[in-house]
Amino acid sequence: VYTEDAPTVDKEIFNLGIPILGICYGQQLIAYLLGGDVNPGRIKEYGPAQITVNTSWPLFRNLPSQFTVWMSHGDEVMKPPKDFAIPATTLTIPRAAISNLKKKIYAIQFHPEVVHTEYGTQILENFLKICGLTPKKVEINKESVENLIKDIQDSVGDKKAVCALSGGVDSSVAALF
């Protein structure tokens, strides 16, 4: 995030008053753009880590105080931005999560979207609740796929649409919007 050609976002997004969740690079970018410090980490991590979370924090509500998460990073947030709290830590990452509850900005260094993170689905569901949405389980079967195809055909009509989708949660959400 600190290099000249690093991918970024317009800082005005943080003034819109909407809930924001930054994952991995997203955490680093949020910290960097809002005045925190991001540097190469003491160690690069790719694999499991034990996290300790503040379970009263909205993102970690109804979770155990310790569980396994999946890390994949080389940089780390060394100092969070002003008015950001640190609701989660690991033995190697003292700022495994940062957030500003007033601004509804949440950022985590680990990946909740992968099966290797225990309670990852619950973390994402908690974020949906923060957004005022009610998560619902959708059973995938032949009928639901056919309905989805029909919905897309109805939306697109006689126009063309292209969607590149990896199958991960983040690309699925991006494709939705």
Side-chain angles (χ1 to χ4, degrees):
V1 298
Y2 44 79
T3 62
E4 189 176 327
D5 296 353
T8 192
V9 297
D10 188 330
K11 283 175 46 171
E12 283 304 306
I13 195 167
F14 303 115
N15 296 321
L16 295 177
I18 58 172
I20 295 172
L21 174 61
I23 297 173
C24 195
Y25 183 87
Q27 182 206 35
Q28 298 164 15
L29 187 61
I30 287 168
Y32 181 76
L33 291 176
L34 295 179
D37 291 329
V38 178
N39 291 314
R42 290 171 287 150
I43 60 168
K44 294 181 185 330
E45 288 187 294
Y46 183 79
Q50 289 297 307
I51 196 165
T52 301
V53 301
N54 178 340
T55 59
S56 68
W57 225 251
L59 203 58
F60 303 124
R61 198 161 280 144
N62 299 319
L63 299 179
S65 61
Q66 291 188 319
F67 53 94
T68 302
V69 296
W70 190 260
M71 293 286 190
S72 175
H73 63 91
D75 292 337
E76 77 177 85
V77 174
M78 300 299 187
K79 179 182 135 207
K82 184 177 185 244
D83 299 325
F84 272 68
I86 302 168
T89 64
T90 71
L91 290 175
T92 55
I93 301 293
R95 290 152 298 275
I98 60 172
S99 51
N100 181 318
L101 293 179
K102 185 177 177 185
K103 291 189 171 198
K104 300 183 225 170
I105 300 173
Y106 302 83
I108 54 181
Q109 184 57 65
F110 61 92
H111 291 270
E113 76 280 9
V114 299
V115 297
H116 309 303
T117 294
E118 292 180 306
Y119 309 103
T121 299
Q122 290 88 336
I123 292 168
L124 295 172
E125 287 178 0
N126 284 345
F127 183 68
L128 290 176
K129 291 174 186 172
I130 290 166
C131 294
L133 301 171
T134 304
K136 66 179 183 176
K137 303 279 185 208
V138 177
E139 187 174 322
I140 299 189
N141 55 38
K142 184 177 179 182
E143 182 182 342
S144 64
V145 171
E146 289 170 356
N147 288 338
L148 181 59
I149 291 169
K150 184 177 179 340
D151 286 346
I152 293 169
Q153 288 170 335
D154 290 346
S155 297
V156 174
D158 63 350
K159 298 180 180 100
K160 301 220 182 270
V162 175
C163 178
L165 187 62
S166 71
V169 171
D170 51 349
S171 62
S172 300
V173 171
L176 176 66
F177 294 101

